[in-house]
Amino acid sequence: MTDLDLPDHEYLTVPELAELLRLKERKIYDLAASGEVPCSRATGKLLFPANEIREWIARAKSGGEPAPVHRPQILLGSHDPLLDWAIRQSQSGLASYVDGSMDGLERFLQGEGIAAGLHLRDGKSGQWNVPIVARMATRQNAVLIHFASRKRGLVYRDPDLDLAALNEISNLRFAPRQPGSGTDQLFRDLAAEARLDLKKVDLVDVARSEDEAVESVRRGLADVTFGLEAVAKSYGLKFTPLIDEEFALLVDRKAWFEPAFQCFLSFCQTDALAQRATGMGGYDVSALGRVRWNA
């Protein structure tokens, strides 16, 4: 095959595309996994639509970007109670799949959703979200916007406890978050800064959401967790603030203009969301929508 001499059938196999592009088959799998080349997995194996491949090659010749990935209407990333509420109340039709900031970012890069909620702090600079997004999402047609500032700290219930600092949780039962979550990464960074020996912290079962972590404290399964003020308040638990964090949304630029996300965004700019944030406590949404990074 020459560089545009595609077979006349509708879909190309991996070997056919590898021959067309003069690449190894392993590279074709990598291109498909990263979303750089249009493909279909409908039959259980990788197939490449010939017409879209022609367009993809033509754009590359003129210096354009590869064909965009078709993204499902899903918000990925970190769990946030206010975001959860806004998705439901907006009636936008958007769905969510949350399992931590890094999981969401990686899934976003693979084209598995239209946006990812992130709260990732760069340990060296102390900056939120922008350093890692700029490093990992440079090739994405995406924008990072501020959603809310949140107060995070120690959540506990014992009336005899009066925790003031992170290094005071030694020998207490602690409900951790899953590895790869923004909360787990931040906790470990702050623990190192506070010279907290994590070997002296009694870890209970991993919690995979903000609510689950605080619920474990309310039920007495843990003495303390590293959670949000808003969730501590909703469960009637004690809270010691330690840090203000930025929760941001990395959004695919094409999806930004589609009806579902515009419906969601419009709702986020209403008084209803601002009032909800105030009522929950621990939130500041005054900068919601501010662009933090542009691909």
Side-chain angles (χ1 to χ4, degrees):
M1 299 179 191
T2 64
D3 58 350
L4 281 176
D5 183 20
L6 276 72
D8 57 8
H9 42 272
E10 189 174 354
Y11 291 93
L12 305 181
T13 63
V14 169
E16 287 174 332
L17 186 58
E19 181 183 353
L20 174 70
L21 299 179
R22 300 183 180 90
L23 297 172
K24 293 182 178 180
E25 290 185 20
R26 180 67 263 168
K27 180 62 176 176
I28 300 301
Y29 285 109
D30 290 342
L31 289 171
S34 68
E36 293 183 56
V37 63
C39 66
S40 169
R41 296 179 177 84
T43 63
K45 65 178 182 179
L46 285 176
L47 293 174
F48 303 89
N51 287 337
E52 292 185 37
I53 292 296
R54 288 188 181 93
E55 296 173 2
W56 181 72
I57 293 173
R59 273 193 293 274
K61 279 185 170 182
S62 63
E65 293 295 320
V69 181
H70 172 70
R71 295 176 177 271
Q73 300 289 297
I74 298 174
L75 270 63
L76 306 162
S78 180
H79 172 237
D80 179 76
L82 181 62
L83 178 65
D84 271 357
W85 179 84
I87 292 171
R88 293 192 302 271
Q89 292 297 117
S90 69
Q91 299 183 307
S92 62
L94 294 175
S96 64
Y97 178 84
V98 294
D99 198 22
S101 291
M102 282 306 301
D103 177 82
L105 178 55
E106 290 166 0
R107 289 179 182 274
F108 180 85
L109 298 179
Q110 300 295 327
E112 296 182 25
I114 64 166
L118 310 174
H119 63 117
L120 294 167
R121 178 177 175 262
D122 180 67
K124 292 182 179 179
S125 67
Q127 294 184 59
W128 290 96
N129 298 309
V130 173
I132 192 167
V133 168
R135 185 168 69 250
M136 293 185 64
T138 302
R139 301 186 65 184
Q140 300 290 313
N141 184 23
V143 61
L144 180 73
I145 63 167
H146 181 93
F147 180 76
S149 293
R150 316 187 298 188
K151 290 191 180 297
R152 183 175 293 280
L154 299 176
V155 180
Y156 54 105
R157 64 176 293 179
D158 189 338
D160 296 326
L161 277 179
D162 190 17
L163 300 175
L166 193 60
N167 57 13
E168 295 179 7
I169 70 170
S170 295
N171 303 315
L172 296 178
R173 294 174 302 157
F174 179 81
R177 294 293 304 281
Q178 69 271 36
S181 67
T183 303
D184 180 68
Q185 179 180 313
L186 178 61
F187 172 73
R188 292 179 181 279
D189 286 347
L190 295 184
E193 293 173 13
R195 302 187 181 220
L196 170 66
D197 185 355
L198 295 180
K199 294 179 181 178
K200 294 182 179 179
V201 179
D202 182 11
L203 301 180
V204 301
D205 290 342
V206 167
R208 304 196 76 88
S209 74
E210 301 291 350
D211 285 324
E212 187 179 336
V214 174
E215 170 71 7
S216 67
V217 175
R218 187 192 69 81
R219 294 174 60 197
L221 302 176
D223 299 315
V224 63
T225 194
F226 187 50
L228 296 176
E229 180 182 7
V231 185
K233 181 179 177 181
S234 72
Y235 283 91
L237 298 177
K238 299 174 73 174
F239 178 77
T240 299
L242 295 179
I243 193 169
D244 288 347
E245 64 178 19
E246 178 193 62
F247 188 86
L249 295 175
L250 181 63
V251 187
D252 175 72
R253 190 174 280 106
K254 179 177 180 293
W256 176 285
F257 296 102
E258 292 177 351
F261 191 79
Q262 280 295 304
C263 177
F264 164 75
L265 190 61
S266 295
F267 177 80
C268 288
Q269 296 166 336
T270 64
D271 289 341
L273 183 122
Q275 291 168 5
R276 178 75 175 190
T278 299
M280 292 177 74
Y283 279 102
D284 179 355
V285 294
S286 59
L288 193 153
R290 180 181 297 167
V291 175
R292 300 281 286 112
W293 175 86
N294 222 330

